Amino acid sequence: MTSSKQLYFDYQATTPMDPRALALMLPYFTEKFGNPHSKSHSYGWESEDAIEAARAHIAHLIKADPKEIIFTSGATESNNLAIKGIADFYGDQKRHIITLSTEHKCVLDTCRHLEQKGFEVTYLPVLQNGIVDLDLLKSSIRADTMLVSIMAVNNEIGVIQPIAEIGQICRDRNVFFHTDAAQAFGKIPLDVESMQIDLMSISAHKIYGPKGIGALYVRRKPRIRLNALINGGGQERGMRSGTLPTPLCVGFGEAARLAALEIVDENKRLESFKNYFWETLSAGLKDIYLNGDFNNRIPGNLNISFAYVEGESLLMGLKDIALSSGSACTSSSLEPSYVLRALGVEEELAHTSLRFGFGRFTTLEEVEFLAKRVIEVVEKLREMSPLWEMAQEGIDLKSIEWAGH
Amino acid sequence: MKNIYLDYNASFPVKPKILEQLLTQTDSYGNPSSIHFFGRQSRQKIEETRHKFAKCLNVTSDKIIFTSGGTEANNMVLKGFVAEHKNKGTLLISATEHPSVLKTAFTLLGEHCPLINVKKSGIIDLVHLEDFLRRAEKPILVSVMYANNETGVIQPISQIASLTHQYGGLLHCDAVQAFGKINFDFGDDLPDFITFSGHKIGALQGVGVLFSKYNFPYDALISGGGQEKGRRSGTENVLGIESLGLVLSHLNADIYNCSKVEFLRDYMEAQLVEIAPNLVFFGKDAPRLPNTSCFGCLGLAGDMQVISLDLEGIAISAGSACASGKVKPSHVLLAMGASEALAQSAIRISMGPMTTKEDIDYFLKAWTKIYVRGLKDQLQLINQNNG
Amino acid sequence: MSYTERVIDHYENPRNVGSLDKNDPNVGTGLVGAPSCGDVMKLQIKVNNGVIEEAKFKTFGCGSAIASSSLATEWMKGKSLDEAQKIKNIEIAHYLSLPPVKIHCSVLAEDAIKAAIEDYKSKNKGEMADAA
């Protein structure tokens, strides 16, 4: 991706649209603009056909039946619909939900909302590498546990959870399993059958599709029931009313189709970028730490702590490069990331972390440039850092009584 | 064969010029919550549109919440109100509301929730409303649409607002269908909540707006990253919102263009009466959207007309798009006192700024054929019965 | 988040980065903040005849924190201890046009100035009394 302004390394926040997906959308804005729910004329049918084709592409990527794909406005809505919808429908039978403390904010917020309504939620801690402790999950399931909601890939640190194992545990214990796959869909192989997933949230704009569209996979066999979040015309099998935005669905479908075709090659390329970047940085800089498991992660993400250098000043030094210190949703807050804290990363180190995202339009030259700039800026800031100086003098920073404020 | 689109109330094409403008912007793909350049570009687009929208309503920007569409905005208000007040309070909706209000109310209160009657003209019965308001347990939320999607009937919203406010109630107005077609007249008494949708006025699909007169007082329907000041989470549909901003720049011209099709509508209705004197035009005695005509013709099934016209290359609908495909008679027409048979026979013509007299003449010719064939069928039926 | 020109200037060309010998009796050292809060400032002054002839800093923190401490060293140089003592955080914040969420950076810089002067004074208690 070339831009006169900045190089883009924030592919977990969002992605630019793939021009191929955009091109396919265009006719549906102007010529083929029928309301897909108009069953009475060819304009409507044309839109409906396009939507169904898109739905099939999305279903194909997770080995689902197209009828099991519900379009929504995005993964946030999908997560809300899955969790609130299940709780609303089955809430008079079971009242307990299990999730991870490192989930995306929209899952945590939705769970908190349900707690206020009298549900009980267990927020499982994760191991130091960011992965769920399966034994702890097993022992946390109770007779009244209704739902386990565990993300497939973490948005900040990129680690992949053992989804198939979680699916098996949930099926054995007769608990619904929802996974937020916003960061996983199109990036790692997903199979709702073999992984025994009951509900899966998907986003388009993380896989080079348009913003404003997502999907929820809802298992039909055995059938999962949900109460709708949005009522009305009864579209999407009554689970999500509102006119479907045909062009967005088309762009989403094409993005999914392209992902299916290119996932293997793309991952190879990103893996080589990841390895090159990490090796170059490790060779050039002391005291840097990778957050999250090195192997169980999507290759397009590296979250790194640069000890003794504060993250925001690092971002400022890299101002010609678009990066983030964590989740976009919390990027204006000064608090260190709750995800890193959950891994046991100490607060002082959490302040020094950046997320590097590589994607479809990243080139090796860009990664080389990035590595060079990061090393330069970290060295410059360490020269300026009193903590670095003390560490070099052999002073244990923990021995100092800091006057916190 | 010609291709004539007379279903603008269902969906409105995006203007090529607007699409072109959107596509020339290559740097607004960032996540608007990101603090880097790309994120800031997207954020700026969103805030510009918010500002423009607020200016159109003559309110401040913080009152404008972006959603995924009109349906979501309607759900936010109704579900928010009922959740906030649990089993206390009263939700009052009119009998001719869009399914996104009607079905939501049914979901919340059951299928037998009381509805405010409309008169034969389609206008809400203010006496009935006041009777409700007088007896209702507080707090009260009234939800009445600005203009009906099926008949185009325009409600006296400022009167309904002052009546509702007089009894201490809140008013929600679904203005999706009126937006961009007529000038709003809210008087001095703005409703407390107003719903708008982008794709009915030529912006991209997937964008709606909720105006909330006060800081949105209810729990968010969609929680998460805290976008839209926590009132509606989820990464914003940046391109969609931007397209809405571009459409707003020409809103007055659009309204003017829409007003010009009124004479086409009136011409069409006059011609239709000539052909079939027994036609019933719904809402003709009330103020209507200038582009909408809904009529029933006993003996001709609505869906049959729609399919026959489609074969002639003319796209119209029977009732609203969300409900079409189901052969239930329109709840709107039934509420206006139409018999089931008459309601089953109704079709809706909705024109757009590009509609021409030639289009209407073509439609009239096609419809006449259907009508005559229908008459023949009926005659044959009578003859058979007699014979 | 966008930074003002002055913050960017001080961040990109920080004045007086470095360290002075903290065991030198003429050097006062202030170390404020905490790593867990995301900012630590070390500010040092070298005093000659009651006048600050050198000031150095090192800062772990955001761009605004770096700029605040860089600016503080600039302003202190050539001032007497009493004059330097009067530098207020609000002046720093105003000069750099810090946004409200960054005001604490200027507060920290003021704390660092005070701590450095305090350290110098406590090292030189006897001499100060002699001079009086």
Side-chain angles (χ1 to χ4, degrees), chain A residues 10 40-41 80 229 231 246 331, chain B residues 7 33 36 75 79 205 306:
Chain A
D10 201 9
S40 54
H41 51 69
N80 273 261
L229 207 56
N231 299 96
T246 313
S331 57
Chain B
D7 201 12
S33 297
H36 48 63
N75 272 260
K79 290 195 169 171
Q205 290 171 329
V306 166

Side-chain angles (χ1 to χ4, degrees), chain A residues 98-102 122-141 148 150 159-162 165-166 169 342-343:
Chain A
I98 299 175
T99 188
L100 289 190
S101 57
T102 54
T122 301
Y123 301 92
L124 291 182
V126 291
L127 302 170
Q128 212 183 349
N129 60 3
I131 309 281
V132 63
D133 179 342
L134 290 174
D135 290 327
L136 185 61
L137 171 63
K138 271 184 218 160
S139 63
S140 303
I141 294 177
V148 168
I150 291 182
V159 298
I160 303 169
Q161 299 294 347
E165 286 87 338
I166 299 169
I169 292 171
L343 303 190

Side-chain angles (χ1 to χ4, degrees), chain A residues 66 171 199 203 254 282 303-305 364 374 404:
Chain A
R171 189 61 59 86
L199 298 140
S203 164
E254 182 64 3
S282 308
N303 188 307
I304 302 172
S305 296
L364 180 61
V374 169

Side-chain angles (χ1 to χ4, degrees), chain B residues 226-356:
Chain B
Q227 287 89 344
E228 297 297 305
K229 300 207 172 115
R231 299 169 297 195
R232 202 287 180 180
S233 289
T235 299
E236 298 87 338
N237 179 353
V238 183
L239 214 58
I241 292 173
E242 202 184 332
S243 74
L244 184 58
L246 294 174
V247 172
L248 288 180
S249 306
H250 316 114
L251 194 63
N252 287 331
D254 289 347
I255 291 173
Y256 173 70
N257 286 334
C258 188
S259 72
K260 286 198 303 191
V261 300
E262 184 162 14
F263 88 92
L264 274 182
R265 197 257 322 257
D266 293 347
Y267 162 75
M268 179 192 76
E269 291 188 344
Q271 293 292 313
L272 283 169
V273 176
E274 295 281 317
I275 302 161
N278 61 334
L279 277 194
V280 179
F281 292 97
F282 297 103
K284 205 171 191 295
D285 298 331
R288 269 188 301 167
L289 293 177
N291 75 320
T292 309
S293 178
C294 179
F295 53 87
C297 179
L298 272 176
L300 283 185
D303 47 350
M304 187 275 290
Q305 297 178 65
V306 166
I307 291 163
S308 307
L309 286 167
D310 186 57
L311 291 174
E312 301 281 338
I314 302 168
I316 62 147
S317 83
S320 75
C322 309
S324 57
K326 301 168 206 158
V327 265
K328 273 208 251 168
S330 149
H331 71 280
V332 175
L333 306 182
L334 293 181
M336 289 164 74
S339 67
E340 281 215 11
L342 184 61
Q344 291 274 25
S345 76
I347 60 173
R348 176 186 73 184
I349 310 295
S350 52
M351 306 175 190
M354 280 84 90
T355 307
T356 61

Side-chain angles (χ1 to χ4, degrees), chain A residues 24-38:
Chain A
L24 215 63
M25 285 166 67
L26 295 179
Y28 292 92
F29 287 119
T30 46
E31 299 143 38
K32 309 176 179 183
F33 55 85
N35 187 320
H37 315 296
S38 297

